[in-house]
Amino acid sequence: MAKNRLGKSSAFYDIYERNPSSDKTVTHYCPGCGHGILHKFIAEALEDYGVWNRTILLSPVGCSVFAYYYFKVGNIQCAHGRAPAVATGIKRAHPDSIVISYQGDGDLAGIGGNEIIQAANRGENITVFFINNAIYGMTGGQMAPTTLVGQSTTTTPRGRDIYNEGYPIKIAEIISILESPVYVERVALADTKNIMKARSAVRKAINYQVENKGFSLVEVLSPCPTGWKMNPVDAKKWVTNEMQKYFKLGVFKDVGKERKSRKVNGEKVPLNKVPDIIDIPSDEKKEISRIEKKSEEKFLKRIKIAGFGGQGILLLGVTLAESGMMEGKNVTWLPSYGPEMRGGTANCHVIVSNQRIGSPLVDWSDILIAMNRPSLDKFEPKAVPGSLIFYDSTIVNRKPERNDVKAIGVPFTEIADGIGSTKVLNMVALGSLIRFTGMLSPETLFEAQTRVVKRKEFLELNKRAIKAGMEFIDSLKES
Amino acid sequence: MDVVETIVDIPTVIIRVDECKGCGYCVEACPVKVLVQSKKLNIKGYHPAEYKGSGCTGCGVCFYTCPEPGAITVIKK
Ligand SMILES: Cc1ncc(C[n+]2csc(CCOP(=O)(O)OP(=O)(O)O)c2C)c(N)n1
Ligand code: SF4
């Protein structure tokens, strides 16, 4: 494209307002980093094809995590290695958008190795730019799957050894042997000729998506002067002299001419049609229409439930959320647990509100249910002043120390044992919670039970446990 | 160098001194070698690239080799 002037692309922000540092005119990248060069090629192509305003760029974990500071497009920052999965969802929900997954080698070839292979194999209609700088830049120069044999890094101080770490992984080759991808090329940000080839590859890969051809991946060999401990000009030479020897440049696959453009179905389904389409029973349809209902007086309970795995923490949360939903509230439920099924810590975040809920995270709790001592120790400081703390007085051997919160000790475990099973201590907790706060009616809880509890033989026992929890609160009030 | 001369002297390259991180890529890549690394430091403490003032052919190589989105502008004609 003949232009009279080459300058900053309009697909970049003029001023990088999202960057919290004081200098909002330059990128955060190190001098000579290849990320900036690739950013420029992408921005230029998005501008030239006129698609920047329908582009969604996914930034990875790695030095380019902040790509969203710079690109004036839709941006999402993804979990490490998961950008291809996010891209899949976005592209399928918004087939008209141009979805770009931007990933480093630790991200794409390391932790996200399977994500990229599956997305490529499904032939997702997305464009992937893969920065291969043979190292983990952001974390300080550890070995990447692409680190060259003999290359020293902080984790291979004597050089990568094939008997210990194997050979560097060749992503372009791997992706290109799959049937589905349309275009795979490896380029290098090195000498001028190759830099201009990289620019063309970026344009082609984006253009194929504009034409709805399918999956493209461009692997970009890229200098990381900091990680390699070189000055930038030497780093570029290292790309040419060392990286290119092992990572051969070229087009590994290009079937864009043969492939027909896909049909893009841009039809949107209105929310109120969803229940019929996925065949939800009619009483639940009411709940779905409720999502859009505006409510009267503000009701917001942010609840943190914490204990150890096996105490039924998550089920307690689910029951609470389900009950809230049945009473016409908006709810969220967010579990958070360690890798172990039993033992270890478990907690979950539940929000029940008549307002829209922005984030499901409960950082500060209005209600904390602490089922063991470590949970109380950990979350007591994060209770909102004036909030409630319920704790299991059977096993928590101290009282909450804060005097600006209301602490209610209930012997959950002891009561549950009295009914016949320690397992139902979560239901005892639930019973005491709703009795003390009045936030939900017991009938709703019993009803919710029938929906969420899989083993129906527990229903009766659970009901007794909920009632026992309520009775304990009543006994407190009497005395 | 007088002002009239710089306006007429197109193609040219404009360097935003304070956006340059002094990596030296453009200096290395310029086919006609009209860029140099300045002896002066910019506000960030880098030696920025500097145009000698004449000889730019407007090829754009420095623009494409520069990692900073806004540091270099090339006016071709
Ligand atoms: C789940 C998870 N595991 C590990 C990390 C730590 N981590 C941050 S960046 C990174 C490697 C990034 O390397 P690469 O993808 O090559 O990008 P670069 O920084 O070199 O551009 C790792 C392992 C993390 N943030 N999240
Ligand atoms: S550490 Fe490497 S990849 Fe990260 S910004 Fe610096 S040069 Fe770029």
Side-chain angles (χ1 to χ4, degrees), chain A residues 142-153:
Chain A
Q142 294 82 0
M143 190 197 89
T146 47
T147 293
L148 294 186
V149 174
Q151 183 185 340
S152 77
T153 67

Side-chain angles (χ1 to χ4, degrees), chain A residues 302-422:
Chain A
R302 291 161 298 180
I303 306 159
K304 171 76 78 38
I305 309 155
F308 55 82
Q311 279 185 317
I313 306 283
L314 305 188
L315 180 65
L316 165 42
V318 172
T319 315
L320 206 51
E322 183 76 22
S323 308
M325 204 151 58
M326 289 167 63
E327 294 201 356
K329 303 285 197 299
N330 293 326
V331 301
T332 58
W333 172 76
L334 183 76
S336 151
Y337 42 85
E340 54 286 80
M341 290 297 283
R342 295 201 166 261
T345 58
N347 67 67
C348 76
H349 309 217
V350 175
I351 301 179
V352 182
S353 178
N354 62 1
Q355 314 283 306
R356 272 180 182 238
I357 300 172
S359 157
L361 266 185
V362 176
D363 259 342
W364 290 88
S365 61
D366 300 311
I367 299 172
L368 168 64
I369 305 180
M371 310 285 262
N372 62 5
R373 169 79 192 258
S375 304
L376 183 65
D377 292 346
K378 188 165 175 198
F379 297 116
E380 184 182 349
K382 290 278 213 168
V384 171
S387 67
L388 299 176
I389 297 182
F390 291 86
Y391 64 100
D392 187 343
S393 56
T394 318
I395 57 174
V396 178
N397 58 0
R398 73 167 177 90
K399 292 202 165 104
E401 286 152 4
R402 300 254 307 257
N403 48 22
D404 61 344
V405 299
K406 173 112 184 100
I408 305 111
V410 181
F412 300 141
T413 307
E414 196 186 310
I415 297 175
D417 283 345
I419 298 171
S421 170
T422 317

Side-chain angles (χ1 to χ4, degrees), chain A residues 211-337:
Chain A
E211 293 177 350
N212 292 307
K213 295 281 186 173
F215 185 93
S216 302
L217 179 142
V218 180
E219 175 169 342
V220 183
L221 305 184
S222 170
C224 172
T226 304
W228 302 347
K229 304 188 170 45
M230 293 179 196
N231 75 49
V233 172
D234 287 344
K236 251 192 185 174
K237 290 191 177 132
W238 197 80
V239 173
T240 308
N241 298 334
E242 303 299 329
M243 287 189 84
Q244 284 177 219
K245 251 197 278 178
Y246 182 81
F247 292 112
K248 297 287 179 232
L249 303 187
V251 177
F252 289 84
K253 182 169 187 191
D254 184 356
V255 295
K257 294 251 153 46
E258 296 103 84
R259 286 273 168 91
K260 280 212 223 68
S261 293
R262 309 162 166 234
K263 274 223 187 74
V264 173
N265 177 3
E267 192 198 338
K268 287 257 158 59
V269 179
L271 189 60
N272 59 11
K273 295 259 167 63
V274 174
D276 288 327
I277 293 169
I278 59 176
D279 199 20
I280 296 179
S282 62
D283 67 318
E284 296 191 16
K285 287 179 192 161
K286 280 201 270 318
E287 295 169 12
I288 291 193
S289 58
R290 162 196 51 80
I291 296 173
E292 284 164 343
K293 194 176 84 188
K294 292 264 180 307
S295 304
E296 334 64 59
E297 200 186 324
K298 184 167 176 180
F299 176 90
L300 171 68
K301 296 278 179 239
R302 291 161 298 180
I303 306 159
K304 171 76 78 38
I305 309 155
F308 55 82
Q311 279 185 317
I313 306 283
L314 305 188
L315 180 65
L316 165 42
V318 172
T319 315
L320 206 51
E322 183 76 22
S323 308
M325 204 151 58
M326 289 167 63
E327 294 201 356
K329 303 285 197 299
N330 293 326
V331 301
T332 58
W333 172 76
L334 183 76
S336 151
Y337 42 85

Side-chain angles (χ1 to χ4, degrees), chain B:
Chain B
M1 198 202 318
D2 71 26
V3 179
V4 177
E5 198 180 31
T6 50
I7 292 171
V8 178
D9 200 7
I10 281 173
T12 190
V13 52
I14 301 163
I15 294 161
R16 294 213 183 94
V17 174
D18 289 332
E19 290 186 29
C20 175
K21 293 172 181 165
C23 68
Y25 285 169
C26 56
V27 175
E28 230 251 36
C30 173
V32 288
K33 300 288 166 214
V34 294
L35 298 174
V36 289
Q37 204 130 18
S38 171
K39 299 255 177 328
K40 287 186 230 135
L41 292 173
N42 67 8
I43 48 167
K44 292 194 188 57
Y46 296 122
H47 291 285
E50 203 172 70
Y51 179 37
K52 284 183 181 168
S54 61
C56 173
T57 63
C59 71
V61 164
C62 58
F63 173 78
Y64 287 118
T65 194
C66 173
E68 263 314 302
I72 293 183
T73 307
V74 174
I75 315 278
K76 293 189 163 190
K77 51 181 190 217

Side-chain angles (χ1 to χ4, degrees), chain A residues 4 11 16 18 24 32 36 41 44-45 66 107 116 133 154 157 187 234 254 256 264 269 356 374 378 383 446 453-454:
Chain A
N4 291 342
Y16 310 130
R18 288 178 180 152
K24 299 183 193 302
F41 293 159
E44 185 194 35
F66 295 133
D107 190 85
I116 189 61
N133 58 14
T154 58
V187 295
D234 287 344
D254 184 356
V264 173
V269 179
R356 272 180 182 238
K378 188 165 175 198
F446 301 147
V453 175
K454 290 202 186 71

